[in-house]
Amino acid sequence: MYAYQPIGIFDSGYGGLTVMREIVKVLPEYDYVYLGDNARTPYGNRSFETVYHYTWQCVQYLFSRHCHLVILACNTASAKALRTIQQRHLPVTFPERRVLGVIRPTTEIAQQFTRNGAVGILATTGTVQSASYVIEIRKFFPALRVYQQACPMWVPLVENNEHEGPGADYFVKKYLDQLFQQAADLDALILACTHYPLLIPKIKAYLPDGVQLISQGPLVAASLKDYLRRHPEIDRHCSKSGRREFLTTDSAALFARQASIFYGEPVEAQQISVEGL
Ligand code: DGL
């Protein structure tokens, strides 16, 4: 066992920092290493095979940095790669390691957000096409009605720092209108993409009264805390010296400049390569 075994947090780019930020609030004593695959982001419009291949490379890289537990803090990766990694790779190659996603912590409590029994999912095209949210919510709550809306322009708006500008209003209104055309009585919307919390002020401006907006960060953080309590055999492989590292597959200087928008405080980053994994 190594003295330093951080919890790995993976995202296609910066978005997972909105999840990490909530996790470190709830579990500050743990060590964390964040990996953003910025060189190949966005994942949202990529094929199943590509998202799976990229994600598995990054998970193996985090394993090589002694992570025993890795969180896929990316909905697209959770939707398209998690199941294959959990079922095909881990049992054979890394039976003691764990990889968890962000979809289950949100879907297993979906019913508590809605009075009308109608939930909306706002996500990338890839997550919508996978239907992961619909399938998972139906498993837990078969009577809930679930409506999905792909928002392909939202990640580029956030990545390009245009989420507070007037261009964002057009695309926020457009996708919300399309969602409410599917079901006017929706009263709970899940932000099923890690970038979307940055658009919350704009989204709220166009939401009908009484509609609840659900961000995943706090839900994932609470679920991880519960998981570590229930799994002491994993918890003892997670070191606790309060250290945070930030890795990116693209320029470290660029990452450091952008990351604070998502993480809420300045970070220092290091560039790494996952080629060959
Ligand atoms: N982080 C991804 C997600 O949560 C969105 C960004 C991307 O398309 O890569 O779905």
Side-chain angles (χ1 to χ4, degrees):
M1 201 158 119
Y2 295 90
Y4 178 60
Q5 290 185 290
I7 295 175
I9 301 185
F10 166 72
D11 184 63
S12 59
Y14 300 111
L17 291 165
T18 64
V19 176
M20 177 166 169
R21 167 184 181 158
E22 300 300 328
I23 291 176
V24 300
K25 269 188 213 162
V26 172
L27 297 164
E29 67 278 26
Y30 288 79
D31 297 322
Y32 298 94
V33 54
Y34 183 91
L35 173 55
D37 192 7
N38 299 80
R40 304 187 292 194
T41 199
Y43 281 13
N45 296 324
R46 294 193 189 275
S47 69
F48 177 93
E49 287 71 25
T50 302
V51 172
Y52 155 68
H53 175 65
Y54 287 177
T55 304
W56 179 227
Q57 277 185 321
C58 290
V59 168
Q60 288 180 90
Y61 181 84
L62 288 168
F63 284 172
S64 78
R65 302 279 291 227
H66 309 307
C67 296
H68 203 81
L69 173 64
V70 172
I71 312 294
L72 301 186
C74 172
N75 284 275
T76 312
S78 299
K80 293 190 163 186
L82 181 62
R83 184 180 293 253
T84 312
I85 290 173
Q86 283 177 335
Q87 294 181 352
R88 194 193 299 169
H89 292 296
L90 295 188
V92 178
T93 338
F94 300 99
E96 292 191 337
R97 314 244 182 157
R98 292 292 177 273
V99 180
L100 306 175
V102 288
I103 296 179
R104 186 158 178 163
T106 317
T107 53
E108 68 187 1
I109 55 168
Q111 190 158 35
Q112 64 184 242
F113 306 129
T114 169
R115 294 176 309 277
N116 298 347
V119 178
I121 309 297
L122 297 161
T124 63
T125 306
T127 301
V128 167
Q129 280 170 352
S130 76
S132 299
Y133 275 86
V134 180
I135 295 165
E136 287 290 315
I137 291 177
R138 289 223 174 108
K139 253 192 246 163
F140 295 114
F141 310 108
L144 278 193
R145 286 175 293 129
V146 186
Y147 302 89
Q148 305 191 90
Q149 178 62 46
C151 311
M153 287 304 291
W154 286 9
V155 168
L157 282 167
V158 173
E159 288 275 325
N160 290 291
N161 226 339
E162 287 289 347
H163 53 284
E164 290 172 342
D169 288 85
Y170 175 82
F171 286 107
V172 166
K173 184 173 180 322
K174 175 178 171 158
Y175 298 140
L176 289 179
D177 284 349
Q178 287 175 357
L179 180 61
F180 280 93
Q181 273 159 21
Q182 297 181 52
D185 68 336
L186 285 168
D187 64 350
L189 297 192
I190 296 175
L191 297 179
C193 172
T194 51
H195 281 63
Y196 296 175
L198 277 81
L199 284 162
I200 285 176
K202 293 271 187 216
I203 297 171
K204 281 194 169 154
Y206 293 101
L207 270 193
D209 286 343
V211 178
Q212 213 193 141
L213 203 55
I214 294 115
S215 292
Q216 293 178 305
L219 307 181
V220 174
S223 172
L224 177 60
K225 185 173 182 176
D226 184 52
Y227 177 87
L228 291 170
R229 186 186 51 77
R230 286 185 291 109
H231 294 278
E233 77 285 5
I234 304 294
D235 185 70
R236 73 188 175 84
H237 286 287
C238 301
S239 58
K240 300 170 186 75
S241 60
R243 191 165 149 192
R244 285 95 175 91
E245 282 181 285
F246 298 88
L247 311 177
T248 173
T249 54
D250 203 346
S251 147
L254 192 61
F255 186 93
R257 256 204 314 280
Q258 286 287 97
S260 60
I261 302 170
F262 296 81
Y263 193 57
E265 57 183 82
V267 307
E268 273 180 38
Q270 183 196 339
Q271 182 169 0
I272 58 97
S273 167
V274 298
E275 296 305 322
L277 285 167

